[in-house]
Amino acid sequence: QVQLVESGGGLVPAGGSLRLSCAASGRAFSGYRMGWFRQAPGKDREFIAAINWSGGSTHYADSVKGRFTISRDNAKNTLILQMNSLKPEYTAVYSCAASSRPFLARRVDDYPYWGRGSQVAVAS
């Protein structure tokens, strides 16, 4: 299995940017499709973006298209989420996850491996 640890969260003003990282260890990182999710207080976990093993195929939630970019560096076992033009409603705990599904999954249940999350707060 793979172990995941997020970093890079923090407090930013509305319109600002943050870059989240997810460091992977354990089983070969390049063998997994990866995703980012977020969970705001009192809400369900929400899909943000997914990427295939090579980084050549990505998929985004409509709410973040054009603002967020998912990427990966298999040589460094790292997943990245670049977040621009942040809004206060994006305040949440952001988590990375790994999937063995043969497609870019959006469902929480398709990701058996999760990091503990990184808090992002966007001030209005």
Side-chain angles (χ1 to χ4, degrees):
Q1 65 183 47
V2 61
Q3 292 78 43
L4 305 171
V5 179
E6 301 90 341
S7 61
L11 175 64
V12 293
S17 297
L18 272 178
R19 181 180 172 92
L20 299 182
S21 295
C22 172
S25 61
R27 191 174 172 182
F29 172 68
S30 61
Y32 293 96
R33 288 166 177 80
M34 300 295 297
W36 283 102
F37 291 75
R38 65 187 177 194
Q39 187 168 22
K43 294 189 176 181
D44 292 336
R45 189 169 278 174
E46 175 190 15
F47 169 80
I48 298 174
I51 190 167
N52 74 337
W53 68 274
S54 69
S57 180
T58 58
H59 179 58
Y60 295 92
D62 288 343
S63 59
V64 302
K65 278 182 182 177
R67 296 176 183 268
F68 290 11
T69 302
I70 186 172
S71 61
R72 66 191 296 165
D73 185 338
N74 289 336
K76 296 181 179 180
N77 289 348
T78 301
L79 177 72
I80 300 293
L81 184 68
Q82 178 66 45
M83 305 187 293
N84 299 327
S85 303
L86 287 165
K87 301 179 179 181
E89 53 263 43
Y90 292 169
T91 294
V93 174
Y94 284 69
S95 300
C96 62
S99 174
S100 298
R101 295 292 198 186
F103 52 85
L104 294 181
R106 296 175 60 101
R107 298 188 318 135
V108 170
D109 289 348
D110 285 325
Y111 290 84
Y113 307 111
W114 291 82
R116 302 183 74 170
S118 181
Q119 177 70 54
V120 171
V122 184
S124 56

